[in-house]
Amino acid sequence: MAASIESLLEEISGVEDPLEELQSLKTALLSIPVSALRDSVSGQRFDVIFSLLNSNQRAQVELCVDILERILMALSPEHLAQNYRVELQAGLNHPNETVMILALTQIGRMVEHPNAVTEILNNHDILRAVIQCIAAEKMAVAKQAIQSLSKLSHSKPGLDKLFQSDLLKAMKDVMATSDIVRYRIYELVVEISSVSPISLGYCANSSLISQLIGELTGDDVLTRATAIEMVTSLAHSQHGRQYLSQQGIMDKISNMIRGAETDPFSSLYLPGLVKFFGNLAIMDSPQQVCETYPAFQNKVFEMALDPDPVMIGVALDTLGLLGSTVEGKQVLQKTGEKFKAVLSRMSQLASSGATELRVRSLDAISQLLGLESEQQTEDLLALTESWFHVLSKQPMDMIRNISTQPFPELHCGALRIFTAIATQPWGQKLMIRNPGFMEFILDRSTGQTKEAKDAKFELVGSLLSSSTSAEILGSQNYIRLKTYLREGPYYVSAVASVSTEGAD
């Protein structure tokens, strides 16, 4: 096979219009198993294929990319660094985005390899060209460049090269291209910062993080909205949160929430501010966050009662997130009537309104009502039961009505609420008292989509996982549920058919 590849390469270099020969080479390469490909190609030179990339014939360029993609992936990153550095560097400045992505992908492989990365670190021009790719028109090219540079920063030599050489100036120059490109550089910086406290230190010393934080309070409200997303990503790591806290950013964002009431454009960035604290509460402590920054909790309740669907949606997601933890449930319970009013509103939204908000309401309610078996203390069971009864005078009927509507996402959302209460004794008692409820669970003819079947199966599994269900539901129901579980989510009972043959 190596001989035929060699002869195909010779044929390609000898013709003026090599499309047919390129197609033959591609077919030949595809016929070689991946395991054998390295041996078949490592002794060859593919300069002719690289040279054919310099064409304005898109079909030719794309065929060459397909061929090179297969060949280069078979070669070791070290082999590439030693033999194809110049060609890959040329690819970074190519007008066709598929060539740029090919080059960036291979450079990404090299920077992850301990020997190949040295070749890249010693090649300033390649790294400068990768940084310039962040300003590419096509987002896919920029993403690949960000990914390659992010991988490079996983080592100290990589960090030194990016932040302690004139490449830092190259990054800052690229940032000046446009607002969009500036935020791509911030994305890279946040990604690098998230790796470790050391990498965060490099980014902080570069002044790029303080520049990003400065954008939080800039005049452009759309810029603020993007900046808060970046800062939220930075808060995903513990060292990132610690840094933001030391810089007083939590207080700054809390003050922005307070000041939002007098800003007519606050609806553009307020959801991001609330999401920031919602994520913070889950990663640290709901109680600490809600007590230290009361403006956040007050704003979430306010947004849940707001007529604006965007505000309601963010409030629902945040309440679901908070209420998914025991500590979050206790924090919400402490607010008394305020939270009950919000819960009533969630119930109204779940029953009527735009489908998307109904689904988000159902999901939030199921998170609020869920309790793992080890969390089921008397107090917490009383809390979830009391919340369930705030939903409606007849909450079981209300949720069942939603589950019978012809929208799979509503059907599944309602089933998830039943799944949340299925492990709790009070939930099981309501189910057994509700006429026809066990038949509804065991009826396989309702909800025919895969998602609906999976949601029903999860509900059955939840009921059976509880140590109290056999006693509360009764042995007959318990056995029927066990049979359902054993048969699996997609079981179809055989229907007897009678065929009648016509007499001759």
Side-chain angles (χ1 to χ4, degrees):
M1 187 53 80
S4 72
I5 287 177
E6 199 171 343
S7 57
L8 282 166
L9 286 169
E10 279 173 24
E11 279 177 39
I12 289 166
S13 55
V15 293
E16 203 171 303
D17 182 9
L19 272 183
E20 203 176 309
E21 287 75 9
L22 284 169
Q23 189 59 60
S24 299
L25 176 58
K26 181 181 170 180
T27 306
L29 288 166
L30 287 170
S31 69
I32 304 170
V34 175
S35 55
L37 198 56
R38 180 179 293 190
D39 293 338
S40 303
V41 299
S42 56
Q44 311 290 331
R45 285 294 302 173
F46 293 92
D47 308 51
V48 62
I49 310 295
F50 278 105
S51 69
L52 289 171
L53 290 170
N54 302 317
S55 161
N56 52 13
Q57 299 293 318
R58 195 170 177 92
Q60 177 178 309
V61 171
E62 289 185 352
L63 255 177
C64 290
V65 168
D66 288 346
I67 289 165
L68 288 169
E69 214 166 40
R70 190 151 175 89
I71 292 164
L72 300 180
M73 286 309 276
L75 298 169
S76 73
E78 206 171 353
H79 183 93
L80 294 181
Q82 287 161 0
N83 296 282
Y84 292 109
R85 265 197 332 276
V86 175
E87 289 84 351
L88 290 171
Q89 186 178 335
L92 296 173
N93 300 306
H94 199 281
N96 184 305
E97 74 274 9
T98 60
V99 179
M100 294 173 85
I101 290 169
L102 172 75
L104 287 164
T105 305
Q106 298 310 320
I107 290 164
R109 285 179 66 215
M110 287 189 253
V111 300
E112 284 184 301
H113 190 280
N115 296 335
V117 70
T118 310
E119 301 274 358
I120 300 294
L121 288 170
N122 292 335
N123 194 315
H124 217 63
D125 294 339
I126 282 192
L127 289 173
R128 187 182 280 106
V130 173
I131 288 168
Q132 280 160 355
C133 285
I134 295 176
E137 194 183 327
K138 299 283 184 193
M139 189 60 197
V141 175
K143 282 274 182 206
Q144 201 62 54
I146 289 168
Q147 206 176 326
S148 298
L149 291 168
S150 179
K151 286 174 184 172
L152 181 71
S153 69
H154 284 208
S155 69
K156 187 179 184 302
L159 286 165
D160 287 341
K161 192 74 176 174
L162 276 179
F163 293 101
Q164 294 183 346
S165 74
D166 60 355
L167 288 179
L168 179 59
K169 183 183 181 300
M171 276 200 272
K172 291 182 177 179
D173 289 346
V174 166
M175 281 180 98
T177 311
S178 69
D179 287 351
I180 288 171
V181 175
R182 186 167 81 252
Y183 272 94
R184 288 177 187 171
I185 295 282
Y186 286 146
E187 186 185 326
L188 169 64
V189 168
V190 167
E191 230 172 82
I192 293 171
S193 300
S194 302
V195 174
S196 70
I198 291 169
S199 57
L200 172 60
Y202 276 87
C203 295
N205 292 336
S206 73
S207 80
L208 289 171
I209 294 188
S210 51
Q211 193 177 329
L212 165 63
I213 287 167
E215 307 231 14
L216 275 180
T217 48
D219 295 333
D220 185 331
V221 286
L222 290 174
T223 298
R224 278 193 209 179
T226 316
I228 189 64
E229 272 182 45
M230 296 283 174
V231 173
T232 302
S233 297
L234 190 56
H236 282 159
S237 65
Q238 195 178 352
H239 59 272
R241 292 196 293 283
Q242 206 172 345
Y243 174 81
L244 292 172
S245 182
Q246 286 161 356
Q247 301 296 311
I249 302 309
M250 280 58 161
D251 294 316
K252 186 178 273 191
I253 293 173
S254 179
N255 291 335
M256 285 171 75
I257 289 176
R258 282 199 190 91
E261 286 171 25
T262 56
D263 181 354
F265 299 108
S266 66
S267 63
L268 294 168
Y269 60 84
L270 191 56
L273 303 180
V274 168
K275 281 180 191 172
F276 171 83
F277 276 118
N279 281 299
L280 200 64
I282 286 305
M283 287 180 286
D284 278 349
S285 150
Q287 186 176 340
Q288 194 185 334
V289 169
C290 291
E291 284 177 4
T292 313
Y293 309 103
F296 156 63
Q297 191 176 312
N298 294 338
K299 184 54 73 177
V300 174
F301 285 2
E302 207 178 287
M303 285 163 77
L305 304 171
D306 197 292
D308 181 348
V310 175
M311 295 296 170
I312 298 168
V314 173
L316 291 170
D317 297 346
T318 308
L319 287 163
L321 204 57
L322 275 177
S324 64
T325 67
V326 164
E327 195 180 311
K329 285 177 172 56
Q330 290 164 331
V331 167
L332 293 170
Q333 177 74 342
K334 273 184 197 167
T335 64
E337 293 305 314
K338 271 189 185 176
F339 180 62
K340 283 187 179 170
V342 167
L343 205 48
S344 283
R345 170 81 165 130
M346 288 166 85
S347 171
Q348 288 162 16
L349 289 164
S351 298
S352 59
T355 305
E356 191 206 342
L357 280 185
R358 296 183 71 184
V359 172
R360 283 163 91 170
S361 298
L362 292 167
D363 283 346
I365 292 167
S366 67
Q367 285 178 291
L368 287 162
L369 294 173
L371 268 185
E372 299 293 331
S373 53
E374 64 275 12
Q375 299 167 343
Q376 292 182 14
T377 62
E378 210 173 303
D379 289 352
L380 286 168
L381 286 167
L383 178 151
T384 51
E385 185 175 9
S386 70
W387 286 0
F388 188 69
H389 288 288
V390 171
L391 297 175
S392 159
K393 283 180 181 168
Q394 300 292 336
M396 289 294 287
D397 294 342
M398 175 199 127
I399 309 294
R400 251 180 94 173
N401 286 343
I402 296 170
S403 79
T404 57
Q405 289 175 15
F407 301 100
E409 58 270 52
L410 291 178
H411 175 75
C412 294
L415 287 181
R416 279 193 287 274
I417 293 179
F418 287 137
T419 303
I421 67 169
T423 59
Q424 301 171 58
W426 63 262
Q428 294 157 14
K429 285 172 186 167
L430 287 176
M431 288 177 181
I432 202 66
R433 285 183 204 142
N434 192 271
F437 191 83
M438 294 315 294
E439 283 64 32
F440 159 73
I441 291 180
L442 293 158
D443 181 2
R444 288 186 181 270
S445 67
T446 61
Q448 288 303 300
T449 64
K450 180 186 181 298
E451 292 76 15
K453 289 174 190 289
D454 288 341
K456 180 76 78 76
F457 190 70
E458 201 179 327
L459 167 55
V460 171
S462 229
L463 271 171
L464 289 170
S465 71
S466 165
S467 58
T468 56
S469 59
E471 187 189 339
I472 293 171
L473 301 176
S475 57
Q476 194 184 348
N477 286 322
Y478 192 75
I479 290 163
R480 288 165 75 202
L481 288 166
K482 285 205 94 149
T483 305
Y484 189 110
L485 198 72
R486 191 179 63 249
E487 290 169 346
Y490 316 118
Y491 176 78
V492 179
S493 57
V495 178
S497 60
V498 179
S499 62
T500 310
E501 288 184 21
D504 288 325

